[in-house]
């Protein structure tokens, strides 16, 4: 018994140590990013200044004074929030219909929507750019919101469909027998029961929209430019300004990290929604 208990103790210690190692590996890039943001551009590229350097706020002050960080951040908030709202507004009724009123084509439609994520974005870059400029929508919030909503809509529908399928159909049928219309079923029955799944879907959609760089960089210049555009702008023909680039990147990922930290309970509940209890 003593040998078994000792073996179990070593196994637990090993697992804890492994978890810490994996956690540190994931955290190290963020730590290095923040550390570099307090260095000058000259110190950031010198190996001898890995940890021994004089911290400076020059990169952050330069970011707010010369690069108008708050305008880019505001654009990121506007586009991410509205793209998430529109994706949920379309995705919830769509997933509801597929989950509780399926047809023989439901699985084919779901697979088709998922297949759109396999299309290389570069393949439609020129048509999208030409179309947006022709319609006068280039560098507008409307176009960025529309694109972000459409590219994340398949994932939103798939996640919501999975959550809704775990809700007993009899509950919806009971509501129908009581005379509840379709909108009432969604509002009064479905959303309260699947709130954890909807919240986690919204959070992931918001993160995807916030982190989207390919389209936000190529479909904007100044008016609707997001933080991805600001990060992309910290380079010059002579190279990258690592200090300023790190400061802008840290300021861009900071809000998402804070949001994920405070919403981790809802995220875990949503991702485990429908799991075997």
């Amino acid at each position: 018994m003593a040998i078994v208990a000792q073996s179990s103790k070593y196994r637990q210690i090993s697992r804890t140590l492994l978890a810490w190692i994996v956690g540190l590996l994931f955290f190290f890039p963020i730590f290095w990013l923040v550390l570099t943001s307090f260095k000058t551009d000259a110190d950031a590229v010198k190996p001898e200044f890995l940890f021994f350097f004089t911290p400076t706020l020059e990169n952050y002050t330069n970011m707010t004074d010369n690069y108008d960080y708050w305008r880019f951040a505001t654009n990121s908030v506007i586009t991410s929030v509205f793209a998430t709202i529109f994706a949920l507004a379309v995705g919830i009724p769509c997933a509801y219909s597929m989950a509780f009123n399926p047809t023989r084509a439901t699985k084919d439609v779901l697979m088709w929507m998922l297949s759109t994520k396999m299309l290389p974005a570069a393949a439609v870059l020129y048509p999208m750019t030409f179309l947006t400029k022709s319609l006068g929508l280039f560098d507008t919030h409307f176009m960025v919101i529309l694109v972000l909503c459409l590219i994340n809509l398949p994932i939103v529908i798939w996640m919501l469909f999975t959550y809704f399928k775990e809700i007993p159909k009899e509950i919806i049928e009971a509501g129908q027998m009581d005379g509840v219309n379709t909108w009432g079923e969604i509002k009064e029955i479905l959303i309260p029961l699947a709130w954890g799944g909807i919240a986690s879907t919204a959070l992931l959609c918001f993160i995807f929209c916030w982190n989207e760089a390919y389209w936000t960089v190529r479909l904007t210049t100044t008016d609707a430019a997001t933080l991805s555009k600001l990060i992309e702008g910290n380079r010059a023909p002579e190279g990258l300004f690592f200090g300023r680039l790190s400061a802008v990147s840290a300021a861009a990922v900071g809000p998402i990290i804070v949001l994920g930290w405070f919403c981790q309970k809802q995220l875990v509940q949503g991702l485990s929604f429908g799991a075997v209890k």
Side-chain angles (χ1 to χ4, degrees), residues 86-103 106 109-110 112-113 153-162 164-165 182-183 186 190:
F86 292 152
L88 291 177
V90 176
I92 291 177
C94 183
Y96 162 83
S97 177
M98 292 182 176
F100 298 106
N101 300 287
T103 65
T106 296
V109 172
L110 285 170
W112 172 77
M113 287 190 296
L153 191 58
I155 302 299
V156 170
I157 294 177
W158 261 89
M159 291 185 64
L160 292 176
F161 173 79
T162 303
F164 293 169
K165 285 290 289 184
T182 302
W183 170 243
I186 296 176
L190 189 66

Side-chain angles (χ1 to χ4, degrees), residues 27 41 58 87 120 129 136 161 183 209-210 222 241 247 275:
F27 174 74
D41 290 325
E58 177 185 353
T129 305
F161 173 79
W183 170 243
C209 293
W210 184 279
T222 55
F241 300 105

Side-chain angles (χ1 to χ4, degrees), residues 159-168 190-198 200 266-277:
M159 291 185 64
L160 292 176
F161 173 79
T162 303
Y163 298 141
F164 293 169
K165 285 290 289 184
E166 299 297 330
I167 297 177
L190 189 66
I191 293 180
L193 289 176
W195 178 247
I198 295 174
S200 64
Q266 289 76 10
L267 182 60
V268 172
Q269 287 178 347
L271 294 177
S272 61
F273 184 83
V276 177
K277 303 296 189 292

Side-chain angles (χ1 to χ4, degrees), residues 3-257:
I3 296 177
V4 174
Q6 188 175 13
S7 177
S8 177
K9 181 179 180 180
Y10 286 147
R11 189 180 298 111
Q12 183 179 2
I13 294 175
S14 300
R15 290 177 178 176
T16 304
L17 182 61
L18 180 61
W20 272 102
I21 293 175
V22 173
L24 289 175
L25 288 176
F26 277 99
F27 174 74
F28 183 77
I30 300 175
F31 165 75
W32 195 257
L33 179 70
V34 175
L35 185 69
T36 307
S37 68
F38 291 102
K39 300 179 181 180
T40 62
D41 290 325
D43 290 344
V45 296
K46 294 180 180 180
E48 60 269 22
F49 286 97
L50 292 181
F51 293 101
F52 302 99
F53 63 94
T54 302
T56 177
L57 294 176
E58 177 185 353
N59 296 320
Y60 288 96
T61 56
N62 181 66
M63 176 183 66
T64 55
D65 295 342
N66 299 330
Y67 288 93
D68 197 6
Y69 165 81
W70 295 111
R71 178 172 63 86
F72 290 95
T74 301
N75 287 337
S76 290
V77 172
I78 292 173
T79 54
S80 299
V81 168
F82 281 97
T84 301
I85 292 174
F86 292 152
L88 291 177
V90 176
I92 291 177
C94 183
Y96 162 83
S97 177
M98 292 182 176
F100 298 106
N101 300 287
T103 65
R104 287 183 295 180
T106 296
K107 291 184 178 180
D108 294 333
V109 172
L110 285 170
M111 291 305 300
W112 172 77
M113 287 190 296
L114 190 62
S115 68
T116 60
K117 299 295 293 181
M118 305 175 189
L119 177 68
V124 293
L125 174 60
Y126 177 76
M128 282 290 296
T129 305
F130 177 78
L131 183 63
T132 54
K133 289 185 177 181
S134 299
L135 297 176
L137 297 175
F138 186 81
D139 194 24
T140 60
H141 289 97
F142 174 79
M143 178 52 61
V144 176
I145 292 171
L146 181 62
V147 170
L148 293 179
C149 174
L150 292 178
I151 64 178
N152 288 294
L153 191 58
I155 302 299
V156 170
I157 294 177
W158 261 89
M159 291 185 64
L160 292 176
F161 173 79
T162 303
Y163 298 141
F164 293 169
K165 285 290 289 184
E166 299 297 330
I167 297 177
K169 191 175 181 179
E170 290 76 11
I171 299 179
I172 302 297
E173 293 176 346
Q176 294 173 350
M177 294 179 63
D178 290 337
V180 181
N181 56 22
T182 302
W183 170 243
E185 293 174 11
I186 296 176
K187 180 181 178 182
E188 304 295 338
I189 301 176
L190 189 66
I191 293 180
L193 289 176
W195 178 247
I198 295 174
S200 64
T201 301
L203 179 60
L204 289 177
C205 182
F206 180 84
I207 293 174
F208 290 154
C209 293
W210 184 279
N211 292 333
E212 176 60 36
Y214 187 85
W215 289 112
T216 54
V217 168
R218 285 158 180 81
L219 295 181
T220 61
T221 52
T222 55
D223 294 339
T226 63
L227 288 171
S228 299
K229 188 72 174 182
L230 178 60
I231 295 173
E232 191 268 344
N234 278 273
R235 62 179 182 178
E238 57 269 19
L240 296 173
F241 300 105
F242 286 102
R244 280 176 278 179
L245 182 63
S246 298
V248 174
S249 300
V253 303
I256 289 296
I257 294 176

